[in-house]
């Protein structure tokens, strides 16, 4: 009688008749979900006639429905509170959001909201984000290849010519007949030695040969020596897993190396740390590089663009960046990604 009175209630009727979204009213009877009422929008959207489904069970009307739709009704009635679910509906051929709320004494009303367009927009946005991440990662790798080409030219051509020039000047300086020009020659020798040193430094900045020739582990050691040691920051490299048996793709090593460089620079600029651990962990599927410092730490909710950039590039490789930090307790930045990329990916 209470249910019938509720159905006939004026406010309820106005709500049902004028709301554009499908609404259904249910009760539980002998462990079955029973249709009590539906509004005109439910008839139109779900293509069901009210007269044909009132009093029938949910599974009689929707025998192939996904379990989530009946479960949200059951949980709403069981817990007597508003419940929510969202997902694909094969029957409605759309992406629905269901909001179920209890109606005294023992009923549940469910409003179904069509989120198909929103889902498509979200999917398109996620796809675009992945494309942008992939482009950023690809640019980093292409940039590294270009730098390697330039570094190789500086080493093989300009470096060779400078060494040749230095040897000629030293030979000239050793001759007796050059005594009148010895000061000038020695000045040229000093200038040439300085240019050679600058050339080597530039080669390292562009593309450290050790990364290509010896691999990621020695390259990170050399990087730490160059970035951390001048600032009197002690550092240690800790390795797990065999670099020979668990070798990572060149593109993966390039990204991890470049990102580790950014993290070490952040340590120097912001952390106030005295010690840094660089941990390289190789597993059959995953390679992880962590940079841990004993500095002042920071609020992880306030991340700069640098960390955002690192995260985006790792996501494009199927990896991730995790930051563990507390004020006064130091920071650990953990980068992980697959050791091997899919064929044709970022090559």
């Amino acid at each position: 009688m209470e249910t019938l009175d509720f159905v006939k209630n004026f406010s309820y009727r106005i709500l049902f008749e004028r709301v554009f979204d499908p609404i259904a009213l249910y009760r539980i009877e002998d462990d079955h979900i029973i249709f009590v009422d539906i509004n005109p929008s439910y008839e139109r959207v779900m293509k069901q006639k009210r007269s044909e489904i009132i009093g029938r069970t949910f599974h009689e009307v929707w025998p192939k429905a996904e379990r989530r739709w009946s479960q949200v009704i059951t949980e709403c009635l069981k817990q007597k509170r508003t419940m929510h679910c969202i997902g694909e509906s094969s029957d409605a051929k759309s992406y629905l959001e269901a909001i179920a709320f209890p109606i005294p004494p023992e009923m549940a009303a469910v409003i179904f909201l069509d989120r198909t367009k929103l889902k498509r927009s979200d999917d398109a946005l996620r796809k675009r984000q992945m494309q942008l991440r992939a482009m950023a990662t690809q640019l980093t790798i292409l940039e590294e290849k270009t730098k390697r080409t330039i570094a190789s030219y500086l080493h093989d051509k300009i470096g060779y010519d400078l060494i040749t020039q230095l040897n000629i000047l030293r030979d000239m300086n050793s001759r007796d007949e050059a005594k009148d020009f010895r000061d000038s020659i020695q000045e040229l020798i000093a200038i040439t030695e300085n240019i050679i040193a600058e050339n080597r430094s530039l080669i390292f900045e562009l593309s450290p040969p050790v990364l290509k020739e010896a691999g990621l582990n020695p390259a990170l050691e050399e990087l730490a020596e160059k970035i951390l040691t001048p600032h009197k920051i002690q550092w240690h490299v800790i390795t797990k897993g065999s670099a020979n048996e668990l070798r990572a793709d060149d593109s993966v090593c390039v990204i991890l190396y470049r990102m580790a460089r950014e993290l070490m620079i952040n340590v120097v600029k912001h952390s106030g740390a005295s010690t840094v651990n660089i941990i390289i962990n190789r597993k059959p599927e995953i390679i992880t590089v962590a940079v841990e410092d004993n500095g002042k730490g920071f609020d992880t909710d306030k991340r700069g663009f640098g960390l955002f950039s690192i995260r985006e590039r790792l996501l494009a490789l199927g990896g991730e960046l995790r930051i563990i930090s507390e004020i006064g307790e130091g920071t650990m930045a953990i980068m992980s990604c697959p050791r091997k990329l899919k064929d044709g990916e970022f090559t």
Side-chain angles (χ1 to χ4, degrees):
M1 185 64 178
E2 289 178 302
T3 299
L4 184 60
D5 289 342
F6 186 87
V7 171
K8 290 181 178 179
N9 182 276
F10 177 76
S11 298
Y12 166 81
R13 189 172 66 252
I14 292 296
L15 174 68
F16 259 43
E17 290 178 356
R18 296 191 178 182
V19 170
F20 291 115
D21 296 299
I23 302 177
L25 188 68
Y26 307 93
R27 71 172 183 271
I28 297 291
E29 195 174 287
D30 297 329
D31 294 329
H32 295 294
I33 300 170
I34 306 297
F35 276 92
V36 175
D37 201 5
I38 62 173
N39 70 342
S41 292
Y42 193 101
E43 291 185 280
R44 184 183 67 255
V45 174
M46 303 299 189
K47 297 179 174 55
Q48 295 286 344
K49 292 183 178 180
R50 181 179 181 276
S51 60
E52 294 178 356
I53 69 172
I54 299 305
R56 297 176 66 192
T57 69
F58 183 91
H59 292 293
E60 285 176 336
V61 177
W62 303 113
K64 297 181 180 179
E66 292 81 7
R67 186 170 178 269
R68 66 173 71 92
W69 310 118
S70 59
Q71 189 173 27
V72 75
I73 301 168
T74 303
E75 289 299 314
C76 172
L77 288 167
K78 181 180 177 180
Q79 300 186 34
K80 299 186 183 304
R81 65 183 181 89
T82 301
M83 304 296 291
H84 166 273
C85 73
I86 189 168
E88 294 284 352
S89 170
S90 57
D91 290 311
K93 295 181 174 56
S94 56
Y95 193 82
L96 297 179
E97 178 180 10
I99 303 172
F101 50 93
I103 298 178
E106 298 293 338
M107 291 184 294
V110 183
I111 182 168
F112 296 91
L113 307 173
D114 190 341
R115 301 302 192 197
T116 306
K117 290 183 179 179
L118 181 62
K119 176 68 163 51
R120 288 173 181 168
S121 297
D122 288 343
D123 289 345
L125 179 60
R126 279 193 289 270
K127 183 178 180 180
R128 179 62 65 182
Q129 287 174 333
M130 285 304 300
Q131 288 173 339
L132 290 173
R133 288 167 182 159
M135 287 176 62
T137 303
Q138 185 69 63
L139 284 172
T140 300
I141 294 169
L142 289 174
E143 179 186 12
E144 181 64 25
K145 290 181 178 179
T146 301
K147 287 179 177 179
R148 281 184 177 180
T149 300
I150 297 171
S152 178
Y153 179 80
L154 289 173
H155 180 270
D156 297 341
K157 176 61 179 173
I158 296 179
Y160 176 79
D161 289 346
L162 285 170
I163 291 296
T164 301
Q165 175 178 296
L166 180 61
N167 289 335
I168 292 172
L169 288 170
R170 285 172 174 170
D171 179 65
M172 290 175 59
N173 189 54
S174 65
R175 297 177 183 178
D176 292 337
E177 58 267 28
K179 59 183 178 180
D180 295 336
F181 307 99
R182 188 154 281 123
D183 289 344
S184 296
I185 294 173
Q186 288 177 348
E187 183 178 357
L188 287 172
I189 289 174
I191 292 172
T192 303
E193 288 175 339
N194 184 62
I195 293 173
I196 290 172
E198 290 292 334
N199 188 60
R200 287 172 177 167
S201 178
L202 181 57
I203 290 171
F204 179 88
E205 289 297 325
L206 283 170
S207 182
V210 67
L211 179 60
K212 184 176 181 180
E213 296 168 2
L216 183 62
N217 293 22
L220 290 177
E221 291 180 6
E222 187 177 57
L223 186 66
E225 178 66 28
K226 191 169 184 66
I227 294 177
L228 302 177
T229 299
H231 295 274
K232 296 181 172 55
I233 298 174
Q234 295 183 347
W235 55 270
H236 309 277
V237 173
I238 303 167
T239 61
K240 301 177 182 179
S242 170
N244 292 326
E245 296 177 5
L246 300 171
R247 186 175 297 276
D249 282 349
D250 185 58
S251 295
V252 171
C253 292
V254 166
I255 293 294
L256 290 175
Y257 177 86
R258 290 297 174 190
M259 300 305 101
R261 182 178 185 275
E262 289 190 34
L263 291 174
M264 289 186 208
I265 291 174
N266 281 346
V267 169
V268 171
K269 286 183 176 180
H270 308 297
S271 75
S274 61
T275 302
V276 169
N277 291 324
I278 301 154
I279 306 161
I280 309 165
N281 188 6
R282 298 170 185 265
K283 297 180 179 178
E285 302 296 331
I286 301 292
I287 180 170
T288 298
V289 174
V291 178
E292 178 186 30
D293 69 65
N294 67 342
K296 59 187 178 182
F298 66 96
D299 184 349
T300 56
D301 291 331
K302 299 177 181 179
R303 298 165 182 157
F305 177 76
L307 294 180
F308 171 81
S309 175
I310 293 172
R311 178 173 282 105
E312 291 298 296
R313 282 164 171 76
L314 290 172
L315 282 172
L317 293 176
E320 65 174 351
L321 170 69
R322 288 184 292 140
I323 303 294
I324 302 171
S325 184
E326 292 184 15
I327 302 298
E329 298 295 331
T331 299
M332 175 178 276
I334 307 165
M335 304 179 291
S336 62
C337 62
R339 283 195 311 110
K340 299 292 182 180
L341 301 178
K342 296 176 183 177
D343 291 343
E345 189 176 30
F346 303 113
T347 57

